Amino acid sequence: MTIRAPFRSPRGISAAVALLAIGAAGCSDVVDSAKNGAKKAARQRSVFSLSTGDCYNPNSRKTEGEAFAIELVPCDEPHRGQVVGEFDIEEKGDFPGDEAVTAIADERCPAEAGEFAPDTWALPEGVGLSYYTPTAESWATGDRAVSCTYTKESGEFTGSLKVGAKSLKPGQKTYLNGANAVYEALWANQPEAETVEEDLEGYKAQADAVATALDAHLDGLRGIEGTETGKLRTRLEKTAGHWKDAAKAGDADAFYVAYDPAFTGLDPGDTVAARKELGLATTVPADDAEVWAS
């Protein structure tokens, strides 16, 4: 998953909003434009005032850089982003640097988002995880807050994304917790080396992490009744065996032999029937579909 990180601005700086542009249009167009501009200006809020659940529009189309203010909008109106979680960085002293702050957000924001909207398949197309983090300047004023958001890179969506864990039935929650952990283990442990020969141990560690997550997922699935869920459980038991073989591979060739059926066995498309049976979203996210299609 590509994670974009817009940054907070120093406290006390407000965005300059130039909204009332009058051209050679007719009088009614000028009035409408002025009304829309005035409404947008009235909705301007400091980026520091964001709270979980807020729907908003960034004042810039850029996905990186410093943000001073946002347009807060009702969730039933078209918007580009929604705050899905917040936390404070528990670090004192000097600013640890952008990379260190981003690493903390990388680790914490997926969990925060998972509590707010556990089923990522139900998200509107094009919505991805991003966050607002402290800068060196805002850190010096005491800012430690990170706002995790789901943001649409282009276009807008309508409505709140909130389907919290408390809204789920027990079987749905168990399935999503297990499945999300499996794919998180896969991508979070992806070695930087492009080939197994360059970093066999790194790839074996990834395989071990996925196998461990799969075992936990299978434990959860055994407590869920349903024909399709049972079929999925049987397939994933075989898949878990392949990941365990990859984790124990003695050389690169042995790893490749085990990895091919291991990775194929995690094809999200194979989970659609079980998801339908559980009453969950059934449209495979485009990014995931592309990965396994290739």
Side-chain angles (χ1 to χ4, degrees):
M1 178 183 294
T2 301
I3 298 180
R4 301 173 300 282
F7 293 95
R8 271 195 168 89
S9 70
R11 290 184 186 273
I13 298 179
S14 60
V17 184
L19 299 169
L20 307 181
I22 299 178
C27 181
S28 62
D29 291 338
V30 171
V31 172
D32 289 343
S33 176
K35 286 182 178 178
N36 290 335
K39 182 169 71 172
K40 183 172 182 178
R43 290 177 169 181
Q44 292 298 304
R45 297 290 186 276
S46 165
V47 71
F48 295 97
S49 69
L50 286 170
S51 299
T52 300
D54 283 348
C55 294
Y56 70 96
N57 285 315
N59 286 327
S60 171
R61 289 287 168 179
K62 296 179 180 179
T63 56
E64 293 185 1
E66 292 188 354
F68 302 150
I70 50 85
E71 178 194 5
L72 195 66
V73 302
C75 290
D76 58 3
E77 292 185 13
H79 52 276
R80 286 186 57 209
Q82 183 172 18
V83 182
V84 297
E86 292 187 301
F87 65 90
D88 288 337
I89 297 175
E90 297 177 358
E91 240 183 90
K92 300 179 181 179
D94 295 336
F95 182 61
D98 289 335
E99 289 188 7
V101 169
T102 298
I104 293 171
D106 282 344
E107 181 178 355
R108 289 284 303 276
C109 277
E112 296 287 336
E115 284 296 315
F116 191 90
D119 190 358
T120 56
W121 287 32
L123 296 176
E125 184 176 356
V127 168
L129 189 59
S130 59
Y131 30 80
Y132 290 98
T133 62
T135 62
E137 292 84 357
S138 69
W139 185 279
T141 70
D143 178 31
R144 300 291 186 274
V146 175
S147 297
C148 310
T149 77
Y150 271 131
T151 307
K152 193 171 176 64
E153 188 167 354
S154 61
E156 297 171 316
F157 61 95
T158 303
S160 174
L161 301 176
K162 184 173 178 59
V163 183
K166 293 182 180 179
S167 304
L168 298 170
K169 297 176 182 178
Q172 292 175 322
K173 182 177 181 179
T174 298
Y175 174 84
L176 289 173
N177 284 344
N180 290 345
V182 169
Y183 291 101
E184 177 66 17
L186 176 65
W187 300 125
N189 293 282
Q190 181 71 27
E192 293 186 8
E194 294 185 2
T195 66
V196 177
E197 288 83 356
E198 293 177 88
D199 186 10
L200 175 60
E201 292 307 312
Y203 277 92
K204 288 172 64 175
Q206 179 197 37
D208 185 63
V210 175
T212 299
L214 268 172
D215 280 344
H217 187 27
L218 287 166
D219 284 343
L221 291 179
R222 293 186 185 99
I224 301 176
E225 296 182 358
T227 302
E228 295 301 331
T229 304
K231 291 178 181 178
L232 175 62
R233 184 175 64 245
T234 299
R235 289 198 298 272
L236 290 180
E237 286 172 347
K238 294 180 181 179
T239 300
H242 293 308
W243 282 106
K244 290 173 183 176
D245 289 342
K248 297 183 293 184
D251 54 39
D253 287 345
F255 183 90
Y256 283 124
V257 170
Y259 184 83
D260 185 56
F263 187 81
T264 302
L266 293 184
D267 187 340
D270 292 337
T271 71
V272 170
R275 278 176 154 271
K276 182 177 181 180
E277 185 175 71
L278 289 168
L280 296 169
T282 57
T283 300
V284 181
D287 288 346
D288 290 342
E290 183 177 352
V291 168
W292 269 268
S294 62

